[in-house]
Amino acid sequence: MPKSTSAEKAARASERKRLRNRSIKSASKTYVAKAEGMIQGNELDSAQAVVTEAISVLDKAAKKRVIHPHTASRRKSRLMKKLQKAKAAAKTTATTAEAKTKKKN
């Protein structure tokens, strides 16, 4: 329990900030998870839009200092890396399928 009135006020402010930060943190995790799910499900066209949205949410959370800016940067980097890897794999698969079709003809 806080002993002074200023400590009580600080505790109230801290609780308000904790609740605000919790919702922002939760939203950023949700967007990142949704983007990763779309990437794994090979929905690459719609995944691009969701990844962009997730990056925006991470940037806003970092700007408000809910998460550390380096943490936001790391999460964005990993998300983009997964997206690019999935796009490259899809492109390779499409190219390989084309080559097999041409050989048969």
Side-chain angles (χ1 to χ4, degrees):
M1 280 307 287
K3 293 190 178 203
S4 65
T5 55
S6 62
E8 288 174 358
K9 183 178 179 179
R12 288 193 307 269
S14 177
E15 181 63 16
R16 282 193 305 267
K17 290 176 185 176
R18 184 186 71 83
L19 293 174
R20 189 179 321 124
N21 291 347
R22 192 170 84 180
S23 67
I24 294 168
K25 229 183 233 193
S26 176
S28 68
K29 288 178 185 178
T30 301
Y31 278 103
V32 170
K34 190 187 298 184
E36 287 177 345
M38 286 190 155
I39 291 169
Q40 288 178 353
N42 286 329
E43 302 172 35
L44 299 180
D45 294 333
S46 56
Q48 179 66 47
V50 176
V51 165
T52 304
E53 207 169 328
I55 287 173
S56 174
V57 171
L58 286 169
D59 281 337
K60 287 177 185 174
K63 184 178 180 183
K64 294 175 184 176
R65 298 296 293 185
V66 174
I67 60 175
H68 195 278
H70 291 325
T71 302
S73 179
R74 184 179 65 246
R75 288 183 184 170
K76 292 186 311 185
S77 175
R78 288 177 180 170
L79 197 57
M80 287 303 295
K81 198 173 183 181
K82 287 176 186 176
L83 180 64
Q84 295 306 321
K85 188 175 181 181
K87 281 185 177 180
K91 189 175 181 180
T92 304
T93 305
T95 306
T96 306
E98 256 181 46
K100 286 180 181 180
T101 307
K102 286 182 180 179
K103 280 186 179 180
K104 288 181 181 180
N105 291 337

